[in-house]
């Protein structure tokens, strides 16, 4: 089966200047991947005639499918349509159906249509008009030799509508696409290289039609297995078999699969055990509570939180002793132990989770530099603590503390249930 190669061209000075983030290319790549289409290149080109025409020519030499976003507005700096007409050597003509659709679009919204908007219904004569039901810039489909082109607006919801309604179904018509199956293993508490060491022999033994990708992110590493074949059920069965072989090596780091998050995994553990949770967040400033409460149904297990940023509230609200704070400081194992105990008692919860640290960029010392964080979890009978040595970046430290706190709780609950 021939591998289908695709190239994505994003057009617009605003993308190069960093005024707009190109989320379109990322989304398109994901959708094509699910169809078994291989994206071989992504290009970002400014509003420059020479550069755009060069990008078109180079893409046509490499790809079976070329997807273009942006540059379809009604103003003079929007060059995609006229340059596609020039590239394919065909005139731009009025498409009555397109003009009628644009006119109707403005009428439905009670807006006045300008002469420039009318011109959006004028398209290269060699393209197939593709209606844009949620915007004014039509899609344009071109075919030449064995290469297929689609030009779409840069507005994300317009592009996605055209992709879902026209492009993706069209690909199934014109290409023989492979069956593809993805499965993602979610891990936390281990780095990419250490994880690789644990599964190295398993990875090397994977069959040729099953590929492994490491996808590290903030505090997490995802392992994506992708299987290719002719029958979905067979490919799925083979991928699941490989996962069963790998899990014994890394199971203690795995918190879920596919779209599951660490906070949803925690929610399941608490629901299944009938237990409740309360938090005392100093350096994480309520961030972990935000993650917990972002999960629907979290009110069944989440009792509440305290953000005792100043020591006096660690004492008054959570009952941390003045002696502990004086002898060991707010950022210490002893303090987070008492915070975890105190918040558990305050909310009458089964588990208490706490954090205290120096988020930065100031406030560190030689003994406790910026990025020093202590976290703890308590269930009344046992307390587990962990010291983190993080970065110089404040927001990064808050986010990493959040991942570490949730993972500490996950491990703590899992060991209790063993």
């Amino acid at each position: 089966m021939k591998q289908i190669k695709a190239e994505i061209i994003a057009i617009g000075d605003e993308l190069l200047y960093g005024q707009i983030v190109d989320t379109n290319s990322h989304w398109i790549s994901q959708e094509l991947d699910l169809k078994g289409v291989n994206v071989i290149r992504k290009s970002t080109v400014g509003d420059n005639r020479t550069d755009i025409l060069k990008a078109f020519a180079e893409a046509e030499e490499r790809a079976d499918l070329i997807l273009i976003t942006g540059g379809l507005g009604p103003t003079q700096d929007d060059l995609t349509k006229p340059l596609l007409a020039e590239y394919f050597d065909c005139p731009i003509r009025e498409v009555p159906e397109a003009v009628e659709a644009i006119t109707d679009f403005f009428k439905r919204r009670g807006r006045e249509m300008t002469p420039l908007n009318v011109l959006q219904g004028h398209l290269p004569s060699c393209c197939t008009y593709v209606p844009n039901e949620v915007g004014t810039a039509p899609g344009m489909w071109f075919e030449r030799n064995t290469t297929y082109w689609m030009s779409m607006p840069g507005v994300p919801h317009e592009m996605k509508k055209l992709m879902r309604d026209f492009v993706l179904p069209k690909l199934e018509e014109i290409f023989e696409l492979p069956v593809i199956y993805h499965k993602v293993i979610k891990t936390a508490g281990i780095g990419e290289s250490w994880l690789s060491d644990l599964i190295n022999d398993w990875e090397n033994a994977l069959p040729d039609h099953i590929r492994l990708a490491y996808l590290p992110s903030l505090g997490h590493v995802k392992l994506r297995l992708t299987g290719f074949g002719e029958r979905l059920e067979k490919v799925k069965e083979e991928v699941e078999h490989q996962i069963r072989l790998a899990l014994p090596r890394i199971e203690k780091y795995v918190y879920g699969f596919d779209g599951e998050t660490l906070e949803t995994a925690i929610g399941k553990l608490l629901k299944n055990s009938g237990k409740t949770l309360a938090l005392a967040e100093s350096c994480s400033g309520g961030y972990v509570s935000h993650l917990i409460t972002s999960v629907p149904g979290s009110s069944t297990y989440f009792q509440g939180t305290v953000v005792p940023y100043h020591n006096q509230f660690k004492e008054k609200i959570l009952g941390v002793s003045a002696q502990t704070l004086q002898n060991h400081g707010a950022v210490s194992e002893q303090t987070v132990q008492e915070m975890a105990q105190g918040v558990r008692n305050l909310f009458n919860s089964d588990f208490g989770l706490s954090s205290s640290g120096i988020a930065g960029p100031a406030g560190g010392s030689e003994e406790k530099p910026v990025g020093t964080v202590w976290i703890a979890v308590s269930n009344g009978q046992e307390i587990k603590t962990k010291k983190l040595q993080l970065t110089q970046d404040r927001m990064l430290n808050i986010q990493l503390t959040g991942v570490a706190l949730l993972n500490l709780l996950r491990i703590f609950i899992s060991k209790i249930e063993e």
Side-chain angles (χ1 to χ4, degrees):
M1 185 178 292
K2 178 190 173 184
Q3 184 183 66
I4 308 303
K5 299 176 182 179
E7 182 155 342
I8 302 168
I9 303 173
I11 296 176
D13 285 341
E14 65 276 9
L15 299 172
L16 294 176
Y17 297 158
Q19 296 169 336
I20 295 177
V21 177
D22 179 21
T23 58
N24 286 341
S25 296
H26 174 74
W27 186 88
I28 292 171
S29 293
Q30 289 181 318
E31 294 301 308
L32 293 180
D33 183 60
L34 292 173
K35 292 290 184 182
V37 176
N38 184 29
V39 177
I40 59 171
R41 182 166 299 194
K42 301 177 187 178
S43 304
T44 303
V45 187
D47 299 312
N48 177 280
R49 175 184 176 277
T50 302
D51 292 341
I52 293 173
L53 290 174
K54 182 181 178 183
F56 289 169
E58 291 177 349
E60 190 171 20
E61 290 181 1
R62 290 185 292 254
D64 305 297
L65 173 68
I66 299 165
L67 299 176
I68 304 163
T69 62
L72 295 182
T75 55
Q76 292 185 20
D77 62 327
D78 292 300
L79 301 177
T80 301
K81 182 170 62 177
L83 290 182
L84 280 169
E86 178 180 342
Y87 187 78
F88 284 98
D89 192 23
C90 61
I92 291 179
R93 294 175 179 166
E94 180 182 333
V95 178
E97 185 183 357
V99 174
E100 182 181 348
I102 296 168
T103 304
D104 184 60
F105 180 89
F106 277 89
K107 282 183 179 179
R108 292 197 311 269
R109 285 156 181 77
R111 292 163 54 192
E112 183 178 350
M113 187 165 166
T114 70
L116 280 177
N117 293 124
V118 174
L119 289 177
Q120 288 189 290
H122 292 224
L123 306 175
S125 60
C126 53
C127 82
T128 298
Y129 159 62
V130 183
N132 177 0
E133 296 177 0
V134 292
T136 60
M140 295 177 286
W141 178 263
F142 299 84
E143 298 181 13
R144 184 157 73 181
N145 300 325
T146 57
T147 304
Y148 301 87
W149 304 62
M150 179 65 178
S151 175
M152 298 173 285
V155 181
H157 76 275
E158 296 182 31
M159 175 276 297
K160 290 178 182 179
K161 177 75 171 167
L162 288 168
M163 282 290 295
R164 291 187 178 116
D165 291 355
F166 180 81
V167 177
L168 297 177
K170 190 74 171 176
L171 298 185
E172 295 179 357
E173 291 178 15
I174 60 179
F175 294 119
E176 185 181 358
L177 300 175
V179 168
I180 185 168
Y181 176 71
H182 293 291
K183 186 76 173 182
V184 178
I185 307 171
K186 301 284 195 71
T187 72
I190 185 171
E192 181 182 5
S193 58
W194 288 274
L195 190 60
S196 176
D197 287 341
L198 292 178
I199 58 175
N200 184 60
D201 58 335
W202 166 81
E203 181 180 357
N204 290 334
L206 285 172
D208 292 339
H209 65 286
I210 297 179
R211 302 173 189 170
L212 176 68
Y214 292 83
L215 307 173
S217 58
L218 198 63
H220 308 265
V221 179
K222 294 182 286 187
L223 299 173
R224 187 190 66 205
L225 277 161
T226 302
F228 299 87
E230 296 181 359
R231 290 194 302 111
L232 179 60
E233 286 306 315
K234 186 173 189 303
V235 175
K236 182 178 179 180
E237 180 183 329
E238 292 173 332
V239 169
E240 298 290 348
H241 172 69
Q242 290 299 327
I243 289 174
R244 288 192 295 271
L245 294 178
L247 281 179
R249 298 166 167 83
I250 58 173
E251 200 156 13
K252 68 178 181 178
Y253 302 107
V254 175
Y255 65 81
F257 299 89
D258 295 328
E260 189 166 14
T261 63
L262 195 48
E263 50 268 28
T264 58
I266 291 294
K268 286 181 182 179
L269 286 172
L270 291 169
K271 273 187 176 180
N272 292 340
S273 62
K275 303 295 185 182
T276 57
L277 171 68
L279 278 84
E281 298 188 65
S282 185
C283 72
S284 50
Y287 174 70
V288 184
S289 301
H290 158 70
L291 295 177
I292 291 289
T293 56
S294 68
V295 179
S298 55
S299 59
T300 60
Y301 51 82
F302 183 62
Q303 301 288 72
T305 187
V306 175
V307 182
Y309 224 59
H310 296 282
N311 285 353
Q312 60 178 312
F313 300 110
K314 291 181 176 70
E315 289 185 55
K316 290 181 180 179
I317 299 175
L318 297 178
V320 177
S321 74
Q323 187 175 359
T324 296
L325 291 168
Q326 184 177 349
N327 293 343
H328 303 285
V331 183
S332 65
E333 181 177 27
Q334 293 82 359
T335 295
V336 291
Q337 286 177 331
E338 293 186 29
M339 287 172 65
Q341 294 270 42
V343 79
R344 180 183 167 275
N345 293 333
L346 180 66
F347 286 97
N348 192 30
S349 61
D350 297 294
F351 298 103
L353 202 57
S354 65
S355 70
S356 186
I358 305 165
S365 65
E366 186 175 343
E367 181 186 358
K368 298 176 183 178
V370 170
T372 303
V373 177
W374 277 96
I375 58 176
V377 59
S378 169
N379 67 348
Q381 290 81 42
E382 185 180 2
I383 300 177
K384 289 292 183 184
T385 61
K386 186 173 183 179
K387 183 181 181 181
L388 311 174
Q389 210 65 61
L390 304 177
T391 73
Q392 298 292 306
D393 185 279
R394 185 177 185 84
M395 285 309 302
L396 196 57
N397 289 340
I398 290 172
Q399 292 171 316
L400 288 170
T401 298
V403 174
L405 269 173
L406 291 176
N407 200 45
L408 180 69
L409 177 61
R410 179 188 69 83
I411 295 168
F412 191 76
I413 297 174
S414 299
K415 285 186 176 179
I416 291 173
E417 293 179 347
E418 286 179 355

